[in-house]
Amino acid sequence: MAEKQFSGILNGAVPGEPVKKDENSRRGNWGNQIEFVLTSVGYAVGLGNVWRFPYLCYRNGGGAFMFPYFIMLVFCGIPLFFLELSFGQFTSLGCLGVWKVSPMFKGVGYGMMVVSTYIGIYYNVVICIAFYYFFMSMTNLLPWTYCNNPWNTPDCTGVVGTPLANATFANVSAVVSGLTEIVNRTKRTSPSEEYWRNYVLNISDGIGNFGEVRLPILGCLAVSWVVVFLCLIRGVKSSGKVVYFTATFPYVVLTILFIRGITLEGAISGIKYYLTPQWEKILDAKVWGDAASQIFYSLGCAWGGLITMASYNKFHNNCFRDSIIISVTNCGTSVYAGFVIFSILGFMANHLGVDVSEVADHGPGLAFVAYPEALTLLPISPLWSLLFFFMLILLGLGTQFCLLETLVTAVVDEIGTDWIIKNKTYVTLGVAIVGFLLGVPLTTRVSNKNTHKHVLYLWIDLLCCVHPSHFLHNYFKDVEMMLGFPPPLFFRICWKYVSPFIITFILIFTVIQYKPITYNDYVYPSWSLIIGFAMALSSVICIPIYALFKIAVSEGSTFLERLKNSVKPDPDWGPALQEHRKGRYATTGPESVEVRPLKEELKDEGKEKLKEKETEKKDEIGLTIPGSNGSTLNPTPSA
């Protein structure tokens, strides 16, 4: 009894009342709204908040970059975030099923699946490397502290001098006698950089030379996929509980690292370098392009994850409020992470006697080279290293949960049978196994040369956020029916005009500023670039291919008739549950659309009805009084 009451409290029920059931018994819903918000925050707040935003900020004018960044958030980020959440919540379907609104555009959903597949494979490889660094930090001395290792080269120069048996923070400065030599060297590599390149990745001499699989990385990749699968073994029911930890603990770690960072000598100079505004850069189109691209990259628009997560909401949930909370939290986290990163980098620059720009980096270079090297200067450095990489693991997992759930939900919704819904766990396992196998080539020695460079398709896929313009007028009414109020005028204007303009600007700007991809001094051969562009276009090509297919199979004697029929909504487009199908979605008779419960649930409902009837009969018997002659008397007093 106590367990039932406790379970009821977790699900938002008042003690003594029945536990709240899922509104959509067929697909299921979030346990409560906090789980959805935390999951969405975990999805949006990822590795890019830590290793991409701080670098973009200081490179594009410091504090001045905040101005275009928040302008893009208000006029494009939040409106599109709200659009995707409302889209998934209104239909209770994933990134494929929602295109019943206009079947010809279902190729956009397939494009989202391609994007989520690419990102999911790459993201888990990054998580597995974070796992590797986390395990290697469980030591008294971080292995990338000194240059006396087999993988080091003659160009290696450490920042903490030579190994001492009992070195402490107080005498660290005493052993850095060679700092002048370090600064004056024209070619200096750090122990952390050589550990990353020559030991962890053991990078080959060219992209055509795969080399052997790095077994430690492969093992960590397996660990990463197992963790993701176990957290998603029951879909949103299990992941919704895990996010209470994975979405909140990174903020605890960030705060610990921030407090430690600002107490270090030189931290203030690093923060000043991060925030000092250079207002003249606001006039540079590149700054605005970087601001817009970071908003989309960070919020995860056009990946299908937002639609999928919102599809498990209850129909009348206030997703407008959620979109603002999640978007602002995401961007606030990026700014906060910048203070954490640059306080440590400022300390390192002060220690070396160089400018912050010489130790600042972005992407994997920040997470696995610059920041780990700075941690070696701290007392009890393994502890801070453990915290940092544990934070990276949690940030990555939060995004990975949604990417995998996007693929699983799309498959389950598309098949839609009782069996596939009941056995969704097997679909999750299958997707995880395929994802692991596709990630194996990324654990070879060539992996770092081709994993994180081909992201152009992300921006091309932003087109999927502006496709609904042909039905927006009706969709405004749909949102009003769902939320109880129409979308604010500002959001309607952004959906129709402002956001499409900004996205077009991003696409044009991305093409204009394109430069051949390089990795340090390595220049990629032309055949590898062709493969990269093929990957970039593979998500977009789904749109015209499926559109042509849908037009070809649609009814009609002429092309125009087929075209018109292909964009008409399916008969069952609209809210998933019959109780929510009102207005133009209201149907009667045998053609009414209603989500069928599973067979087991039908049996349970039948048993409940039988119990109710038995209870009613017992109540009726209890209300009768047997007479002395065997008859029954009505206890109601006569007039």
Side-chain angles (χ1 to χ4, degrees), residues 11 19-32 236-237 312 314 577 601:
N11 286 277
V19 176
K20 294 181 179 179
K21 296 182 178 179
D22 289 338
E23 182 179 75
N24 191 328
S25 59
R26 184 174 172 81
R27 290 180 88 248
N29 297 110
W30 295 103
N32 56 62
V236 297
K237 293 299 183 184
Y312 292 100
K314 293 184 177 179
L577 301 181
E601 292 172 350

Side-chain angles (χ1 to χ4, degrees), residues 194-209:
E194 294 196 349
Y195 180 77
W196 163 251
R197 295 182 57 187
N198 301 338
Y199 183 74
V200 177
L201 299 179
N202 194 14
I203 297 178
S204 64
D205 56 1
I207 193 171
N209 179 18

